[in-house]
Amino acid sequence: MNSSSTIPAGNPVGSWLQRTFGGRRGRVLREYLTGYLFIAPATFLVFLFGIFPVGFALYVSLFKWRLVRTDFIGLDNFVKAIDNLAYLMAFILGLGAIGFAIVIIQRIRKKVREHDERPWLLLAPGFLLATATASFLRWTVLLLPEVLDIASKIIGVEKTQALFYSLLAEAFKSESVLPAFWVSLILIMIALVSTLLAQRFYRNERNLEYQIQFAITWFFLAAGAGLLTYTYSEVVDAYRLALETGSMIQLWPQIITIATGVLLLVAAWFVWRSAEGQASNRAFWFRIVATLVLLVGGWLLIGEIPAVVAAGDEDMWQGLKVTIFYSLGTVPFQLGISLFLAVLLFQQLAGSEFFRMLFFLPYVTPFVASAAVFRQMFSIRPQAPVNQLVQLLGGESLRWIQEPIGVVTLIGERLGIDVPTWASGPSLALVVVILFSIWVYVGYDTVIYMAGLGNISTELIDAAEIDGAGRWQIFRYVIFPLLSPTTYFLSLIAIIGTFKAFSSIWVMRHELALGTVDTFSVMIFNEFFTKLQYGYASALAFVLFAIILCLTIINNRIQGSRVFYG
């Protein structure tokens, strides 16, 4: 039986429900509502434990926060970390939001042309949906400090559940929060009514989809314009403060120069990609030369970055440097060893099952426990297992986990070579941490590679052997290309993991290593729990997020385009 037949029709409300939810269009609307009701619990959980913590961290990063929230300082925490790059990144985010809105509009136009539709009147209900969403976010932002201030109100008084509920009610009824709540509620009701009216008067199965897309477009246009306006005002304030203090500032030139350099590098990428489809040699070589010119110009313009970096937080850039060393020393060796072991164990040799379990064992062992054991193995004591092995081979005991000197410098000292500071490489203590990470994750990567090898058809290998290909040629031209999806996945996960690594590094780090093993995550932890700089630590977390996002995009562009899925 059609569910619309159960809707009462003897009154105006029942008649309206019959018209709205009845028929083919009503069936589509009911399907939408049913789907949204099914995903509502999961959406709520994702918002509560995923999106809200990120939004709260962004809120904290905009304040001077040491145990308790104090003044709103805007981008100051980001400027402290990365200096004038903070303004550039804010401008890029604002432009990116507007660009995202333009992309959505282009997709809507393409869909409109395909279906020969005219949904542009739905811009109005879409605008109301975006306005309602913005008003709800405004109410949340106004409510949040009132709720957080409850902690300061209960100092020195008896803490009871009734007191907390009363203070929470006061927070919701405060002068700034309550009017914002009613405005938000009214706008939400108006948006819902406009959505239903649009469903009533514009009969189209993609009506709700168009409204949501228009709402997203309006929201990101407003967010991008607001962020650009705010960043511009921050830059103007920075210039005004510099004039008042009599200091020199080159903020606008730096922003314009670096932004232009980035745009030239992006243009070089697109010109390079367009060279592949050229039929004539002249057009091909013209694009190659143009790419080189754009690359050189871009690199020359972004050469301003080191000067900006030097003015930022030295501890942050040291943490980033350590993290880069850690990633470069871990990921290539980890994947290379894993691929070698996977190919070797895939040959069904005697005892291969035992070695599979043996290699995978470090991954399932608790990281904290294995890191503690590893630290004892690389202890400074001459009786430590690794030092005993070094002595057995005729060497001298090393400080290992306590050694802050670069490994290249140490090798140079043994060979009598003077190594410059910039080429000292990672510290010996960090090398120990790198060895531990490789040892832990090789087994996991080996298992994943073996799963990838199992998906390769033996017919392709047999055909290559019939054609006279040797083992190396089969691996180079058949097996390795077909493993590209696995390699892409493992490299992406490994890069993200090394930039987020914390637990094992925290256990293995030693104060005598002088911070040479303190990665970005460790530095954030120190700022948050040791120095109690909550706002600055949150800003650093977003800087790390931006770095990981950029690395993911670069990896996707470079390596993802070469993935062969068969």
Side-chain angles (χ1 to χ4, degrees):
M1 186 190 334
N2 194 320
S3 61
S4 63
S5 61
T6 62
I7 300 176
N11 55 69
V13 176
S15 177
W16 176 79
L17 291 174
Q18 181 72 35
R19 291 194 305 271
T20 303
F21 294 97
R24 182 174 180 274
R25 184 179 60 83
R27 178 177 59 81
V28 174
L29 181 59
R30 293 197 304 274
E31 290 176 354
Y32 270 112
L33 292 176
T34 303
Y36 287 134
L37 287 175
F38 268 111
I39 67 174
T43 304
F44 174 75
L45 291 175
V46 170
F47 173 81
L48 184 62
F49 298 106
I51 299 176
F52 177 75
V54 174
F56 181 70
L58 178 61
Y59 175 83
V60 172
S61 69
L62 301 177
F63 286 83
K64 185 177 181 182
W65 204 306
R66 186 179 178 91
L67 289 181
V68 294
R69 175 183 56 85
T70 54
D71 299 331
F72 176 81
I73 57 176
L75 298 176
D76 286 2
N77 281 322
F78 295 92
V79 174
K80 177 183 175 183
I82 57 177
D83 201 61
N84 293 338
L85 282 179
Y87 301 113
L88 176 62
M89 296 306 298
F91 272 116
I92 291 176
L93 285 176
L95 293 175
I98 295 176
F100 181 69
I102 294 174
V103 169
I104 296 177
I105 287 293
Q106 293 297 330
R107 291 179 179 176
I108 294 175
R109 292 182 59 187
K110 181 179 179 181
K111 188 180 296 184
V112 165
R113 288 194 297 266
E114 289 178 354
H115 299 281
D116 193 20
E117 297 170 339
R118 298 292 183 271
W120 304 113
L121 289 177
L122 298 178
L123 281 166
F127 175 78
L128 291 174
L129 284 173
T131 304
T133 303
S135 67
F136 176 78
L137 292 176
R138 176 176 175 270
W139 171 69
T140 304
V141 171
L142 291 174
L143 174 63
L144 196 56
E146 298 293 335
V147 174
L148 293 173
D149 288 344
I150 292 177
S152 60
K153 295 178 182 178
I154 62 177
I155 297 176
V157 299
E158 183 181 356
K159 301 172 181 62
T160 62
Q161 189 176 26
L163 175 63
F164 173 75
Y165 285 148
S166 64
L167 292 176
L168 187 62
E170 290 179 6
F172 276 86
K173 297 177 182 178
S174 63
E175 295 181 359
S176 60
V177 175
L178 190 59
F181 169 76
W182 289 116
V183 171
S184 175
L185 183 61
I186 292 172
L187 288 174
I188 290 174
M189 296 300 297
I190 292 174
L192 291 177
V193 170
S194 68
T195 299
L196 294 176
L197 289 176
Q199 289 281 344
R200 175 70 178 84
F201 293 105
Y202 184 75
R203 298 177 179 273
N204 188 294
E205 61 182 6
R206 283 171 293 277
N207 185 306
L208 189 58
E209 181 182 350
Y210 281 131
Q211 290 190 57
I212 293 175
Q213 289 179 334
F214 284 136
I216 294 174
T217 301
W218 282 116
F219 183 83
F220 276 94
L221 279 175
L227 184 57
L228 289 176
T229 304
Y230 176 74
T231 307
Y232 176 79
S233 65
E234 288 281 291
V235 173
V236 172
D237 290 341
Y239 265 100
R240 178 181 54 79
L241 182 62
L243 290 175
E244 291 176 356
T245 57
S247 58
M248 294 293 295
I249 184 172
Q250 299 293 328
L251 207 157
W252 277 120
Q254 288 175 343
I255 291 176
I256 295 173
T257 301
I258 296 173
T260 305
V262 172
L263 291 176
L264 288 180
L265 292 179
V266 173
W269 167 260
F270 284 107
V271 174
W272 169 265
R273 294 299 300 271
S274 67
E276 298 178 358
Q278 300 305 313
S280 64
N281 290 332
R282 179 178 298 178
F284 173 79
W285 286 110
F286 174 78
R287 281 166 173 75
I288 295 297
V289 173
T291 300
L292 293 176
V293 172
L294 291 172
L295 282 175
V296 172
W299 281 115
L300 290 175
L301 290 177
I302 66 174
E304 187 70 22
I305 290 181
V308 179
V309 168
D313 187 356
E314 293 183 4
D315 292 337
M316 192 211 72
W317 294 113
Q318 173 64 22
L320 180 59
K321 175 184 174 182
V322 172
T323 306
I324 293 174
F325 275 136
Y326 176 66
S327 183
L328 293 177
T330 302
V331 176
F333 294 101
Q334 175 183 317
L335 296 181
I337 296 172
S338 301
L339 180 58
F340 172 77
L341 292 176
V343 174
L344 187 63
L345 294 176
F346 199 73
Q347 307 302 318
Q348 299 298 327
L349 301 175
S352 59
E353 295 292 338
F354 170 75
F355 284 104
R356 291 182 190 181
M357 180 189 68
L358 186 65
F359 293 142
F360 194 70
L361 192 60
Y363 182 75
V364 298
T365 304
F367 291 166
V368 175
S370 56
V373 174
F374 223 80
R375 175 170 175 159
Q376 294 302 317
M377 291 177 59
F378 285 88
S379 172
I380 190 175
R381 295 179 294 106
Q383 297 82 12
V386 178
N387 269 335
Q388 287 186 345
L389 178 61
V390 172
Q391 294 170 12
L392 184 63
L393 297 176
E396 299 179 0
S397 298
L398 298 174
R399 296 176 59 190
W400 295 113
I401 205 67
Q402 300 182 17
E403 182 59 77
I405 301 177
V407 64
V408 179
T409 301
L410 289 174
I411 296 174
E413 290 178 356
R414 296 296 175 92
L415 299 177
I417 301 174
D418 215 2
V419 178
T421 305
W422 61 267
S424 61
S427 68
L428 185 60
L430 182 60
V431 171
V432 176
V433 178
I434 290 172
L435 292 175
F436 171 78
S437 298
I438 295 173
W439 176 74
V440 167
Y441 288 99
V442 156
Y444 171 80
D445 293 348
T446 300
V447 171
I448 302 299
Y449 264 129
M450 291 185 68
L453 289 170
N455 291 328
I456 297 177
S457 174
T458 56
E459 296 177 357
L460 296 174
I461 298 175
D462 294 339
E465 290 178 347
I466 293 173
D467 290 340
R471 289 190 175 183
W472 169 250
Q473 291 174 317
I474 292 175
F475 174 80
R476 172 66 180 84
Y477 297 105
V478 179
I479 296 177
F480 189 69
L482 292 176
L483 281 176
S484 56
T486 307
T487 303
Y488 172 67
F489 166 75
L490 290 177
S491 63
L492 184 62
I493 295 300
I495 292 173
I496 294 176
T498 53
F499 272 79
K500 293 170 55 179
F502 173 78
S503 57
S504 58
I505 298 175
W506 182 260
V507 174
M508 298 185 67
R509 67 191 291 266
H510 197 284
E511 59 273 10
L512 294 180
L514 304 180
T516 56
V517 296
D518 290 353
T519 57
F520 213 111
S521 298
V522 174
M523 184 200 170
I524 294 174
F525 183 88
N526 283 328
E527 291 290 338
F528 196 94
F529 288 99
T530 304
K531 301 179 182 179
L532 304 178
Q533 299 284 356
Y534 299 156
Y536 185 56
S538 299
L540 289 176
F542 274 94
V543 172
L544 178 60
F545 171 76
I547 293 172
I548 293 176
L549 182 62
C550 292
L551 290 175
T552 303
I553 294 174
I554 293 172
N555 186 58
N556 181 59
R557 290 293 184 183
I558 295 176
Q559 190 176 355
S561 60
R562 292 171 171 80
V563 174
F564 178 71
Y565 292 98

